[in-house]
Amino acid sequence: MNFSDQYFMKQAFIEAQKAKEKDEVPVGAIVVCNNQIIARTHNLTETLNDVTAHAEMLAITSAAEFLGGKYLHDCTLYVTLEPCVMCAGALNWAQLKRIVYGAADEKRGFSRCQPSLIHPKTTITSGIMNDESQQIIQDFFKSKR
Amino acid sequence: MNFSDQYFMKQAFIEAQKAKEKDEVPVGAIVVCNNQIIARTHNLTETLNDVTAHAEMLAITSAAEFLGGKYLHDCTLYVTLEPCVMCAGALNWAQLKRIVYGAADEKRGFSRCQPSLIHPKTTITSGIMNDESQQIIQDFFKSKR
């Protein structure tokens, strides 16, 4: 039971908390390969002054660096928020085995787009730690008003 | 006439030729702000071992670095090939004034997706240097068979 989706999403959530501490939109991600965490990242768009620095993008780059190959066929990405179109496109190129996300993102999430933005070999699981992942973002935007 | 779309796309095409010389899929991009070229990039996915290293992604990051701000409201991106979903998503976040591309990409291009992946404030022009931009990619893949 150590290697459950709940366990790994908790690790992604810890990354989201690190983003929050930096006053970044609190989204965190990890990449898991053979039950090993090979990348831990969080949103850094403000810190890096770069719209492309989403947690998932940094996670893909970091995991590819670790593996020494740009395809992530044997990897699962855990991310606290539903990936946006950019990140879904990147995850498609990387051909992951599986994507697990926490809260849905109705405005910016990839799942509102047709045809599917996800690679046909990638399976999707959603709603793991949904409430916490949604709450941390709601609290963040509330604090900005 | 120096600052025509044709002129700037030629500069993006020169970047595509640099990619070709590195045995990368030959796509090049530039970002123009007030008729000044502020970023010149080409596809580096093989060199960097990173699926996210498309010409457009590198161009957005580079232009934001140059401007000291992550939004590219006053900028035009010229790219030799129609942006993919990932790049269209990134261009959406960056809120460019305008995107100009050369050849269409029927399999991977953003324009096959609904709802539109492009920011409502961004205008699109396509087909500038279409033939050359398409030819360099066709020749590249032919050489790989």
Side-chain angles (χ1 to χ4, degrees):
Chain A
M1 280 303 291
N2 275 334
F3 296 131
S4 64
D5 282 346
Q6 190 75 21
Y7 170 80
F8 285 125
M9 188 61 85
K10 183 69 196 289
Q11 302 302 312
F13 188 76
I14 289 169
E15 288 297 318
Q17 289 172 315
K18 289 184 198 167
K20 184 187 172 186
E21 284 162 22
K22 293 175 185 170
D23 211 30
E24 297 275 2
V25 176
V27 180
I30 64 165
V31 177
V32 175
C33 188
N34 298 325
N35 283 328
Q36 184 191 357
I37 298 174
I38 64 169
R40 292 178 177 270
T41 54
H42 51 270
N43 177 34
L44 285 174
T45 50
E46 297 302 323
T47 306
L48 298 180
N49 212 8
D50 185 347
V51 298
T52 74
H54 282 193
E56 301 94 314
M57 304 299 284
L58 302 175
I60 291 168
T61 300
S62 179
E65 173 76 17
F66 178 88
L67 293 172
K70 68 191 169 109
Y71 296 113
L72 307 178
H73 294 133
D74 297 323
C75 297
T76 300
L77 174 101
Y78 291 82
V79 58
T80 55
L81 183 68
E82 181 184 343
C84 74
V85 165
M86 169 181 72
C87 294
L91 293 163
N92 188 322
W93 284 117
Q95 302 181 20
L96 285 88
K97 186 171 70 177
R98 195 165 166 240
I99 298 167
V100 182
Y101 67 86
D105 185 350
E106 285 175 19
K107 279 189 188 166
R108 290 289 197 166
F110 71 87
S111 62
R112 75 204 149 81
C113 297
Q114 293 296 330
S116 170
L117 305 186
I118 299 300
H119 195 277
K121 287 188 181 167
T122 304
T123 60
I124 305 275
T125 303
S126 64
I128 308 292
M129 286 187 70
N130 172 76
D131 295 354
E132 299 92 324
S133 299
Q134 195 171 58
Q135 193 66 51
I136 194 173
I137 287 179
Q138 282 178 354
D139 290 348
F140 175 82
F141 284 112
K142 202 177 284 176
S143 75
K144 292 290 170 195
R145 271 183 222 137
Chain B
M1 280 303 290
N2 276 332
F3 296 130
S4 63
D5 282 346
Q6 190 77 20
Y7 170 80
F8 286 127
M9 188 61 84
K10 184 70 197 288
Q11 302 302 311
F13 188 77
I14 290 169
E15 287 297 318
Q17 289 173 316
K18 290 185 198 166
K20 184 187 172 186
E21 285 162 20
K22 295 175 184 170
D23 210 28
E24 296 275 1
V25 175
V27 180
I30 65 163
V31 177
V32 175
C33 188
N34 297 326
N35 282 330
Q36 185 192 356
I37 297 174
I38 63 169
R40 291 178 179 269
T41 54
H42 50 270
N43 177 34
L44 285 174
T45 49
E46 298 300 323
T47 305
L48 298 179
N49 211 8
D50 186 347
V51 297
T52 75
H54 283 192
E56 301 95 312
M57 303 298 285
L58 302 173
I60 291 168
T61 300
S62 178
E65 174 76 18
F66 179 87
L67 293 172
K70 67 193 170 109
Y71 295 113
L72 307 178
H73 294 132
D74 297 322
C75 297
T76 299
L77 175 102
Y78 291 82
V79 58
T80 55
L81 183 68
E82 181 184 344
C84 73
V85 165
M86 170 181 73
C87 293
L91 293 162
N92 188 321
W93 284 117
Q95 302 181 20
L96 284 88
K97 185 171 70 178
R98 196 167 165 239
I99 298 167
V100 182
Y101 66 86
D105 185 349
E106 286 176 19
K107 278 189 188 167
R108 291 290 197 164
F110 72 87
S111 63
R112 75 204 148 83
C113 297
Q114 294 295 331
S116 170
L117 305 186
I118 298 301
H119 194 277
K121 288 188 180 167
T122 304
T123 61
I124 306 275
T125 302
S126 63
I128 309 292
M129 287 187 70
N130 173 76
D131 295 354
E132 300 92 324
S133 299
Q134 196 170 57
Q135 194 66 51
I136 195 173
I137 287 179
Q138 281 176 354
D139 290 349
F140 176 81
F141 284 112
K142 203 177 284 176
S143 75
K144 292 293 170 192
R145 273 182 222 139

